[in-house]
Amino acid sequence: MDVQLRLPDDSDHGELKQLYDWLLAERELGLDAEIRLRAQLPPAEGPDGDSTMGDAFDIVQLVLESAFQLTSLGFIIIEFRRARRPRSHVIVERDGRRAVLRPDASPEEVEAFLRELDAMSDPPEDPPDGAR
């Protein structure tokens, strides 16, 4: 299950790097996931035909083994935010669906975030016939 985390308000990518490091530490504690930083946009083709990419990473990409881990990821994100002063929204994306957690989220918004992550555990619905 491929999941992407973005922090759109984190212009210097410092908070994203902290979240990445936090997730790596969680992996050592039992989060079974492939975790990596990557650039949001695919490489652009340079004038000589070579692919070029900047050195900024703006997405944490995870490959999770089970739907249960998606819910666990939500709790890890909440734990991370409690330990730090969040400056940015956290956006979790999977198969075109997204869950957003604001920096100043209320307890009700946190619960809604966790429900949205839980809903992402299900396979995406197929579009109705003729909608393709």
Side-chain angles (χ1 to χ4, degrees), residues 8-25:
D9 306 319
D10 182 29
S11 60
D12 67 356
H13 307 291
E15 193 173 353
L16 183 79
K17 178 69 168 96
Q18 290 175 355
L19 177 57
Y20 172 74
D21 291 341
W22 188 279
L23 289 167
L24 289 177

Side-chain angles (χ1 to χ4, degrees), residues 28-118:
E28 291 176 11
L29 296 175
L31 177 65
D32 186 20
E34 180 183 323
I35 305 168
R36 65 179 175 255
L37 286 170
R38 73 172 185 82
Q40 183 172 358
L41 299 174
E45 192 169 296
D48 58 0
D50 291 338
S51 292
T52 60
M53 181 180 289
D55 58 356
F57 295 103
D58 47 14
I59 291 178
V60 175
Q61 185 165 352
L62 297 99
V63 178
L64 304 174
E65 295 297 319
S66 71
F68 173 75
Q69 289 182 316
L70 191 56
T71 303
S72 296
L73 175 63
F75 285 106
I76 291 168
I77 291 169
I78 291 166
E79 183 181 320
F80 168 77
R81 293 170 70 83
R82 284 185 181 149
R84 304 212 172 1
R85 292 188 88 116
R87 301 181 319 246
S88 181
H89 291 69
V90 173
I91 300 173
V92 180
E93 296 176 314
R94 176 181 181 236
D95 294 329
R97 295 174 287 174
R98 70 172 33 185
V100 179
L101 185 62
R102 297 178 325 122
D104 57 350
S106 69
E108 293 80 18
E109 291 171 314
V110 169
E111 287 179 29
F113 173 73
L114 291 172
R115 281 192 305 272
E116 290 169 355
L117 287 179
D118 188 48

